[in-house]
Amino acid sequence: VKAQLNKKLSLRLSEQEISSQGFKVYTTLDLYLNKIAQEAVNTGVEKLNKNLNTVAANISLQGALASVDHTKGYIRTLIGGKDYQKSNFNRTLNMKRQIGSTFKPVVYLTALNQGFNESGIAYGSGFPLEDAPWKLTYDKARQQWSPKNYDNKHLSWIPLQKALVESINIPTARLGIEIGLDKIIATAKQLGIKTELPLYPSLILGVAELSPVELLQVYSTLANRGVKDELTVIRAITYPNGKGYARFVYVPKQVYDPAPIDLVNKILENVFVNGTASSAKSLGFHRPAAGKTGTTSENRDSWFAGFTPELTTVTWVGIDKGKSKLKLTGANAALPIWVKFMNQALNHLPETPFPVSENLIELKIDRHSGNLAHPDCPETQILSEAYYIRGLEPIDYSCETEWPISIAETELE
């Protein structure tokens, strides 16, 4: 609150003048939500410390949580660490860490917004992507990049939805290079990322370093179907006598086309059904939700960013310094904290489904080509329940006998 107060009033008053005015500041923060969020972080991190035996590894895990009512832009809770007495460093605001696979929806959104690839095949949940060893040569042949999957396995050709839901690196990397880093960065900025993003291929898999609040801004824009305003912790400021000094009004702007966001969100709902967040059910979470896990190299950071129709929340678990041999993932470390908090935060509200989007159309797709499946196509080759943006859906029918030609190497300037 103090940081935002100084930033918002800096053109009118100095920091010293701000602190000496006797202002009353009305915040958006919710004391109850902060209490249960702190408990969720503390118990979640302590459980991990115990299960992973971090004492033996001489490692101390930390956690952070940030949550916003995305319909108003009101930040409801900010938890900057596990124990303020032991560490008063505010990780929600002042820590910037690689965000891993939580960046992948930005890549897929960029592709879906583009509509079609260079061959005229429509991007949608049934678009075929290849999951096989692949090498990229770039920077005038001076550098190479060979991304690896988390489990070092390959699934050959898979639908776009499966690649995002199961967070598979190689097909995501191929797709990102196909659509272009410049377009991906443009999407990221539209969603609310202000940090300068690195213009090199590994950006696609989340090497960008953001604070939890900056990632919260991205996911709140997704939750709000492309509508964005700067998130705030301050509602109003008054003089000591109650006279109004300033009020912060939510001024939403449509910064991105809702249609491709609707499709990305539809896919991210599936992350809870049969993707990397499917364990949420066994943890007792049964509400409609959409989200994405994130795990960085060397297991230093684990993330979960997700939302229900009412609330968007980002959780982080990791170590402040050094490398870790612990098997921290977004699913086993950050997700349980997210689930515990969201269950308690929303337990007084009925389960609300996401609204059915008028922008999406459900089709049957030929898995081999990404076109509409010909009626004579064998059932095993037809992908049912594939979603596309209305007006950008495939119109040609096919039943290809083979997959597209495999490309093991790609060269960029």
Side-chain angles (χ1 to χ4, degrees), residues 74-117:
Y74 285 179
I75 292 176
R76 294 304 192 191
T77 178
L78 291 170
I79 304 299
K82 187 173 76 72
D83 189 334
Y84 185 82
Q85 300 299 323
K86 293 180 180 177
S87 170
N88 60 11
F89 178 55
N90 190 341
R91 291 162 189 82
T92 50
L93 298 181
N94 303 323
M95 172 189 78
K96 288 200 172 187
R97 302 294 282 268
Q98 290 188 1
I99 58 171
S101 295
T102 59
F103 188 75
K104 285 177 181 173
V106 179
V107 178
Y108 285 85
L109 177 60
T110 307
L112 296 170
N113 188 56
Q114 190 169 302
F116 301 86
N117 73 353

Side-chain angles (χ1 to χ4, degrees), residues 351-364:
E351 292 184 15
T352 309
F354 288 106
V356 176
S357 171
E358 70 284 358
N359 296 316
L360 304 184
I361 184 169
E362 185 180 341
L363 301 169
K364 292 185 177 181

Side-chain angles (χ1 to χ4, degrees), residues 155-170:
L155 300 174
S156 188
W157 288 90
I158 57 174
L160 178 147
Q161 172 164 307
K162 186 178 180 71
L164 178 53
V165 164
E166 298 184 16
S167 201
I168 306 173
N169 286 341
I170 295 175

Side-chain angles (χ1 to χ4, degrees), residues 72 74 229 234-235 247-252:
K72 298 178 180 176
Y74 285 179
D229 189 21
I234 299 174
R235 288 188 293 121
R247 180 173 290 276
F248 294 87
V249 181
Y250 183 52
V251 186

